Amino acid sequence: MKKVKAIVLRAAGINCDMETEDALELAGAEAQRVHINRIIEDKSALNKCQILVFPGGFSYGDDVAAGKILANQVVHHLYEPVQKFIDAGKLVLGICNGFQVLVKAGILPGDGQSGGQDTVTITYNDSGKFEDRWVYLVPQTEKCVFIEAGRQIYLPIAHAEGKVVTKDEAALETLKSEGYVAFKYADENGEEGPYPVNPNGSVDSIAGLTDTTGRILGLMPHPERHVRTTQHPHWTRLKDRTDGDGMTIFNNAVKYVKENL
Amino acid sequence: MRQWRFEVFNRSGFSDVHGNSILEEIKEFGISSVEAVQSAKVFLIEADFDDDFAQRVGKELLSDPVCEEYYIGRSGPPAGLAKATLIEVHLKSGVTDPVAESVMAALTDMGMEAGNVRTARKYVLLGDIIQRQTDTIAKKILSNDVIETVIVGSEAEPPSPHLKPYELQIVHWPIRDLDDDGLVALSKEKDLFLNLVEMQTIQKYYRELGREPTDVELESLAQTWSEHCVHKTLKSSVDMSIDGKEIHFDNLLKDTIFKATKQLNKSWCISVFVDNAGVVEFDKDTAVCFKVETHNRPSALDPYGGAATGIGGVIRDPMGTGMGARPIANTDIFCFGPPDKKLEDIPKGVLHPRRIMKGVVAGVRDYGNRMGIPTVNGAIYFDERYLGNPLVYCGNIGIMDKNKCFKNPQSGNIIIVVGGKTGRDGIHGATFSSGEITHEYEAIFSHAVQIGNPITEKKMLDVLIQANEAGLYEAITDCGAGGLSSSVGEMGQNLGAEVDLEKVPLKYGGLNYNEIWISEAQERMVIAVKPENVQAIQKIFDSENVESTVIGKFTGDKKLILRYNARQVAEMDMDFLHDGVPKYSRKAVWNTPELTEPSITEKDNYNEELLQILSSYNVASKEWVIRQYDHEVQGSSVVKPLTGVKNDGPSDATVIRPRFDSDKGLAISCGMNPMYGDIDPYWMALAGIDEAIRNLICVGGRADRIALLDNFSWANCTKPETFGALVRASQACHDGSIAFDSPFVSGKDSLNNEFSCEDGTQISIPSTLLISAISIVDDVNKCVTMDTKRSPNLLFVVGETKNELGGSHYYKINGQLGANVPKVDIEKAPKIAKKICAAIEQGLIVSCHDCSEGGLAVSLAEMAFAGGLGIEADLRGLPKSKDCTRVDAQLFSESNSRYIVEVEPENYDAFAKLMLNAPFGQIGKVTAENTLTVKAEDGKKVIEQDLDSLKQAWQKPLAW
């Protein structure tokens, strides 16, 4: 059986690396938390893994804007190795702050080419404050390898800057027509709605984005925080105690690598 | 170098969230002339780059390409808008500016080194605003004078701080020839907060030495001997008179709280009352440690910065316990003045409670969330008397290997300071927190406020964990109150230490040796390292860009030697520094107040009272606060602070599962009720202990593995009556600890919480004892929450309801205090707790909620609306004392040791068997209706209310 290897990227202020490593291991991957300085020193480090995760946290304190400083670092120091990684058909996952980094570094959305399209960004929640609450997510694509098409999942968000906005209507149309929208926020019945169903005011209730290949996924909610039943916010009411919904993202990634890489 | 100025605005069409929230606050202040607020970020960058590069910086780094635009230089008011007022808020020089540090680093990533970066905020206020309003907005909403400077209009920004380098000048503060008045005057003039006896003791020491002390020597003594550091009041000998009966304590703490812990002598207590946090066993390999601190004074002056550094500081306690723990949870408990207090009723020198609360919550939020530590448990309490002295309790729990719970510094070890640089911030924090606040303190003690940078602390934590795993250091402690003076002083207490102060890395030039030694700059830890490990450990720190500097070594001569550029500036005996503080004897008095029970007419229906209590600030939902804290980071949460079918009911306690590889959990709770202290602080303390323990039991915590923490916040304890209240509470801590078989493992006190108004009136806080508690959960899959689960499950009350409305919310809404304060039956209470614990362990209980503030009626309402299922209750089934005959007492009495439990009908027999010999009774059942009904003993419905109105009443007051 092929061993699936994943790197969880650490940097100053990243703080969801341990539970992300745990989730990957639960899915059967061999995960390692690696500081960005080690990859800048030895860019071949990425060659050894098939999944690269930008985890949640407050990289560099979210100074200037969420994910901005780390994105700047990725653009100036890791542009080529990350590009090579993507071109090799491998998987990139950005969660919360990691999603912000992927967007601000220009890796998402789009055709998998770094360099920034300057059409989509993630900014302050309409509520103006950080919020930790649970949301339902409805998949919008069938081609993203991380996502089980048609399966609604329940995950927590925890962010102050999670509102996806586009430069203009045309940019939003492109996101939709090109299939870049990975997840939308919805209520229990799968219907879109105002706050708190859409917790941050994202345009079109967008919660996550993918690229043309479907091998890059970025999302604001935290799948690594719902990998066990007891993480469900009212698990004591549930009769059926199975794995947390977040496992689907990690399981699908590991399965894809096993079957395709 | 050229100074570049960048302004970053929101692009039109994208909402200016920050500007909008400022506008909302301006309106809350009653100013209606402002029509709109535009906010902008300002960056002042000193660098040698050209115009092209500046454009790149503006475009690629400082602004968002989609929703923002940048302007190089100073933009004028928006065209066509004559009525615009420009206000800029800059940080005062020396105040930590984390964003500036990040921009510096990012510029380096872009290939350009900047000489200096500063940031500011710019606001454009639109509307016909008069001068007075501009001042109010600038001072009360946009800035805090303690740390920020306001510039109105288009004046130049403050000059970049280029401080003169410091030239050594050794300063002596002569003391040998002073008379008593002179000693007192010296202590006052230098803000030493040392009293006459202490000054005389120091004078004698220097007379014997035959020389005068240097400034840094006296400052070290003042820090080390401060109330904040040595707790001289709680350790003093006490002559206490209780209603005329005399009692003597040789050492109050040792004779009460410590005594109980010592007597209980639990094998699972690993290290108690000695290290930065109390350490108890978690499982066979690991231990957890818990510490709760107060950060009251700094939070009164700068709520955001004070609370942020409060949580930042207490996180470093577990990080500096034993060989260092990894923080796994934060707790926060606040006391504020009423948030709806009129602005004109706020004394001078005091911020409005609402502003304090918003700032404090934001401070804890931003620091805790950035550290990646879930903030899981807390409480907020409102009372008029917290107006001048808000209380901010911050707690942190850490996890560590069981074999790394003790430090071992040795002579010859190198002293390394790790983490943040040292600046003037926080100088005199320890002594400052030991005195009383006056309306002038804001101006005098602004330097005592520290500004934190959580990312510096997080980076430091990341590398310290690696260094600990590699076994590269011998001891670690945090730089808290007293700075290096305390940390090096304490670690070298039994060894002796030499420090070269010029080696300490500084944020900016110009600090003298004394400031370096006592600065309370944040995010610093001190470690002791064997010489052969220095290189290896610094390599780890360097690998993640964390500053570490060798500043001295531990010797063996038990002397503290401080040098600056090779010249000695201090030489003191460690013994005198640590054990020289004179012992105190104090008088304490407690006279039971003569209080009476009010006469309130009984009513046929109590819907209104129930809604009113649910809407009182102390009982109302704290969801607005809780959601701003990341309570799920680290993936450990099992019972979250909010629970129920809509995730919005109030959990009794939280449970985390700190290890990925084990289902063992940790339950965390607190208990506090200052109102009972107005009647008797003894019963207040016992109620706090009982409440904290009840909360743990309700979620499935073990009754035999409870560890307690005490945090006393009191008024001026030199007043015998005030101190008497503290002694009463300490006695209760002893009695409660023994009765519940639950040792105290750590504690802290904050005394002198009084505020002197300009007109001379004093506002003293109510005696406020916070009890924090943790326990082990053997299997988190068995945890229980408080929300009703299914109809038609049965509801029982376990524990007796007594005629104890004294200090209750029911009396409060009737404008009364009463006399019958809830007592704790220390024989029965622990037995009831054990029975509930056993029933949960056996899976017989599906929901469990304690009765506390607001009594039975409030608890039933909370269970019902959290579960979205109705309750039919009948007071005939309520176990009650003979004198508890009135319906209002049965509904709202706050008697301790009571639990409401939901049991499935098929488990009735097993449950009843287990409860044998405990006061328990079936009071009703869960229904599928959307209503709470309570019938009195005569069969009449005394409460009948739909769950939506109950929930709305509870949610609305603090849904800001």
Side-chain angles (χ1 to χ4, degrees), chain B residues 324-561:
Chain B
R326 182 172 61 80
I328 53 171
N330 293 327
T331 66
D332 65 86
I333 292 88
F334 310 135
C335 301
F336 301 120
D340 50 3
K341 189 96 182 157
K342 280 189 187 145
L343 195 59
E344 53 268 32
D345 295 336
I346 304 292
K348 188 182 169 192
V350 169
L351 300 172
H352 191 276
R354 192 179 163 101
R355 181 163 185 215
I356 293 180
M357 177 161 160
K358 281 190 167 180
V360 164
V361 169
V364 169
R365 172 194 72 200
D366 286 356
Y367 208 107
N369 291 356
R370 277 168 172 69
M371 280 301 288
I373 303 167
T375 298
V376 296
N377 182 260
I380 307 179
Y381 201 90
F382 300 93
D383 189 291
E384 287 280 341
R385 293 165 289 174
Y386 296 117
L387 209 52
N389 290 85
L391 304 182
V392 173
Y393 296 92
C394 296
N396 183 266
I397 299 172
I399 190 163
M400 64 212 293
D401 285 348
K402 230 161 91 179
N403 58 10
K404 288 198 170 174
C405 295
F406 296 95
K407 348 180 178 281
N408 180 26
Q410 305 124 41
S411 75
N413 284 173
I414 303 299
I415 305 171
I416 295 180
V417 59
V418 190
K421 291 182 180 180
T422 298
R424 281 209 177 88
D425 25 1
I427 286 182
H428 283 158
T431 47
F432 157 70
S433 69
S434 304
E436 179 189 303
I437 309 189
T438 73
H439 66 278
E440 289 173 341
Y441 254 58
E442 199 180 339
I444 301 170
F445 274 98
S446 60
H447 53 260
V449 173
Q450 312 120 12
I451 305 300
N453 183 353
I455 299 310
T456 306
E457 185 145 308
K458 174 70 169 115
K459 279 164 68 179
M460 173 170 76
L461 171 64
D462 291 349
V463 290
L464 282 171
I465 288 172
Q466 296 170 45
N468 186 7
E469 279 169 3
L472 288 172
Y473 59 80
E474 311 305 308
I476 182 165
T477 198
D478 65 308
C479 280
L484 289 170
S485 166
S486 290
S487 53
V488 174
E490 274 169 35
M491 203 186 274
Q493 187 173 352
N494 299 314
L495 297 170
E498 292 175 6
V499 177
D500 292 299
L501 291 168
E502 78 283 357
K503 290 186 177 160
V504 176
L506 301 179
K507 292 181 179 176
Y508 36 84
L511 269 73
N512 67 39
Y513 61 84
N514 184 23
E515 292 171 317
I516 295 169
W517 184 239
I518 63 169
S519 160
E520 294 181 7
Q522 295 293 297
E523 290 98 24
R524 301 176 302 161
M525 304 281 287
V526 168
I527 51 175
V529 181
K530 286 184 175 162
E532 61 268 32
N533 289 333
V534 169
Q535 208 184 352
I537 201 166
Q538 289 200 295
K539 196 177 162 203
I540 291 180
F541 299 149
D542 291 346
S543 78
E544 299 192 6
N545 317 102
V546 174
E547 189 125 20
S548 69
T549 313
V550 171
I551 59 164
K553 68 174 182 196
F554 290 112
T555 57
D557 59 6
K558 296 196 77 175
K559 283 198 182 298
L560 175 66
I561 308 282

Side-chain angles (χ1 to χ4, degrees), chain A residues 125-136:
Chain A
N125 298 352
D126 278 350
S127 68
K129 58 180 188 282
F130 182 100
E131 279 195 275
D132 176 336
R133 64 168 68 246
W134 283 67
V135 294
Y136 292 94

Side-chain angles (χ1 to χ4, degrees), chain A residues 10-19 22 35 37-38 58 60-65 68-69 72-73 76-77 104 118-134 154 156-158 163 165-167 188 224-225 228 230-237 239 241, chain B residues 11 14-15 17 41 43 56 59-67 98-99 102-103 106 109-110 326 365 369-372 455 458-459 462 466 543-545 624 627-635 637-638 640 643-645 647 657 660 780-781 783 785 787-790 867 869 960:
Chain A
R10 286 176 52 228
I14 288 297
N15 61 31
C16 300
D17 47 315
M18 286 175 78
E19 54 270 42
D22 175 56
H35 194 275
N37 285 359
R38 304 292 82 73
F58 287 83
Y60 300 94
D62 278 356
D63 295 337
V64 182
K68 187 78 182 185
I69 306 283
N72 185 66
Q73 209 176 8
H76 291 284
H77 296 293
K104 288 175 189 186
D118 298 357
T119 58
V120 180
T121 194
I122 305 177
T123 186
Y124 293 97
N125 298 352
D126 278 350
S127 68
K129 58 180 188 282
F130 182 100
E131 279 195 275
D132 176 336
R133 64 168 68 246
W134 283 67
Y154 193 41
I157 54 131
K163 178 183 177 178
V165 291
T166 56
K167 190 164 197 124
E188 211 171 341
E224 82 284 9
R225 295 187 185 182
R228 296 182 171 84
T230 54
Q231 291 167 324
H232 189 290
H234 48 264
W235 65 271
T236 54
R237 308 181 67 79
K239 283 229 166 91
R241 297 184 180 177
Chain B
R11 211 180 273 276
F14 291 90
S15 69
V17 172
K41 296 181 266 193
F43 299 87
R56 276 191 60 202
K59 181 169 186 286
E60 294 171 26
L61 178 63
L62 301 180
S63 69
D64 185 281
V66 173
C67 59
V99 180
S102 289
V103 170
D109 286 329
M110 292 175 76
R326 182 172 61 80
R365 172 194 72 200
N369 291 356
R370 277 168 172 69
M371 280 301 288
I455 299 310
K458 174 70 169 115
K459 279 164 68 179
D462 291 349
Q466 296 170 45
S543 78
E544 299 192 6
N545 317 102
W624 180 83
R627 294 234 175 270
Q628 293 190 60
Y629 300 145
D630 191 338
H631 47 265
E632 299 180 89
V633 62
Q634 298 192 7
S637 79
V638 173
K640 301 179 207 294
T643 191
V645 67
N647 306 332
R657 180 182 176 277
F660 293 126
V780 296
N781 296 294
C783 283
T785 54
D787 45 312
T788 46
K789 299 295 185 304
R790 263 173 296 276
L869 292 167
W960 290 353

Side-chain angles (χ1 to χ4, degrees), chain B residues 33 144 214 249 265 290 345 357 490 552 578 729 778 788 820 919 930:
Chain B
S33 54
N144 185 336
T214 60
F249 300 94
N265 193 25
F290 193 5
D345 295 336
M357 177 161 160
E490 274 169 35
H578 291 283
D778 281 333
T788 46
N820 296 346
N930 192 36

Side-chain angles (χ1 to χ4, degrees), chain B residues 169-239:
Chain B
Q169 212 178 357
I170 299 176
V171 178
H172 287 89
W173 287 344
I175 188 172
R176 286 183 297 170
D177 298 332
L178 296 179
D179 59 10
D180 286 354
D181 289 346
L183 289 173
V184 171
L186 178 66
S187 172
K188 202 173 162 71
E189 183 196 336
K190 303 296 183 191
D191 297 322
L192 300 176
F193 287 94
L194 292 167
N195 65 27
L196 178 60
V197 182
E198 288 158 351
M199 289 299 284
Q200 287 168 335
T201 308
I202 294 168
Q203 185 180 49
K204 184 164 164 271
Y205 176 76
Y206 282 97
R207 280 180 178 162
E208 280 165 15
L209 282 183
R211 67 174 175 89
E212 296 293 355
T214 60
D215 51 354
V216 72
E217 288 177 330
L218 271 189
E219 291 273 18
S220 295
L221 284 162
Q223 301 284 348
T224 313
W225 291 9
S226 70
E227 185 66 61
H228 188 92
C229 294
V230 289
H231 309 285
K232 40 202 180 191
T233 302
L234 265 80
K235 288 179 180 168
S236 58
S237 85
V238 183
D239 287 306

